């Protein structure tokens, strides 16, 4: 689980550290591509990386709650949504809140 936690926290840190680039990644409309091109696309690489990290968690004795197929997307959409809220809310910008969110997310998704 440590690898997955580190990946999700790194995702949050990138978004916080590079807000303009991060917004550009998600505000640019993408044209649909076939599976062969999606595999090399940053979105495909991210989903595969999350899938592989979840597989490592399962091999270490963790159980993924819910749909295993959707679990990488649940993680991605959750951290993306939390980062976006963190960026636009008028509250004090404390990145430890993002770390706590990642921990809570993993507690909800994984069971031992």
């Amino acid at each position: 689980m440590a690898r997955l936690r580190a990946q999700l926290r790194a995702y949050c840190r990138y978004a916080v550290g590079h807000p303009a680039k991060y917004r550009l990644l998600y505000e640019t409309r993408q044209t649909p591509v076939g599976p062969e091109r999606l595999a090399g696309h940053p979105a495909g690489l991210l989903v595969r990386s999350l899938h592989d990290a979840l597989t490592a968690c399962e091999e270490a004795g963790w159980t993924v709650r819910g749909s295993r197929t959707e679990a990488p997307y649940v993680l991605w959409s959750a951290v993306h949504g939390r980062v976006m809220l963190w960026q636009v809310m008028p509250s004090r910008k404390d990145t430890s809140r993002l770390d706590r969110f990642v921990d809570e997310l993993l507690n909800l998704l994984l069971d031992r």
Side-chain angles (χ1 to χ4, degrees):
M1 175 158 21
R3 171 185 167 190
L4 181 56
R5 177 179 283 114
Q7 282 180 268
L8 295 172
R9 286 181 175 182
Y11 181 98
C12 293
R13 292 291 182 274
Y14 179 84
V16 167
H18 305 90
K21 287 180 182 179
Y22 185 78
R23 279 193 307 276
L24 183 62
L25 286 169
Y26 288 99
E27 291 177 359
T28 304
R29 295 281 180 207
Q30 301 287 315
T31 56
V33 297
E36 68 286 344
R37 287 198 52 210
L38 185 56
H41 188 278
L45 296 172
L46 175 62
V47 169
R48 189 167 44 260
S49 175
L50 293 172
H51 177 274
D52 293 348
L54 286 165
T55 299
C57 289
E58 289 173 321
E59 291 169 354
W62 293 91
T63 301
V64 176
R65 293 183 178 117
S67 166
R68 181 60 174 84
T69 304
E70 293 300 320
Y73 298 98
V74 168
L75 290 172
W76 184 13
S77 61
V79 293
H80 171 72
R82 184 63 183 100
V83 163
M84 294 304 289
L85 290 171
W86 187 89
Q87 289 179 343
V88 301
M89 294 300 292
S91 58
R92 188 172 61 86
K93 302 301 182 205
D94 178 4
T95 56
S96 68
R97 293 185 70 189
L98 297 175
D99 290 343
R100 288 192 305 272
F101 178 81
V102 166
D103 292 343
E104 183 65 21
L105 178 61
L106 292 176
N107 287 335
L108 291 169
L109 188 67
L110 297 172
D111 190 28
R112 195 160 286 249

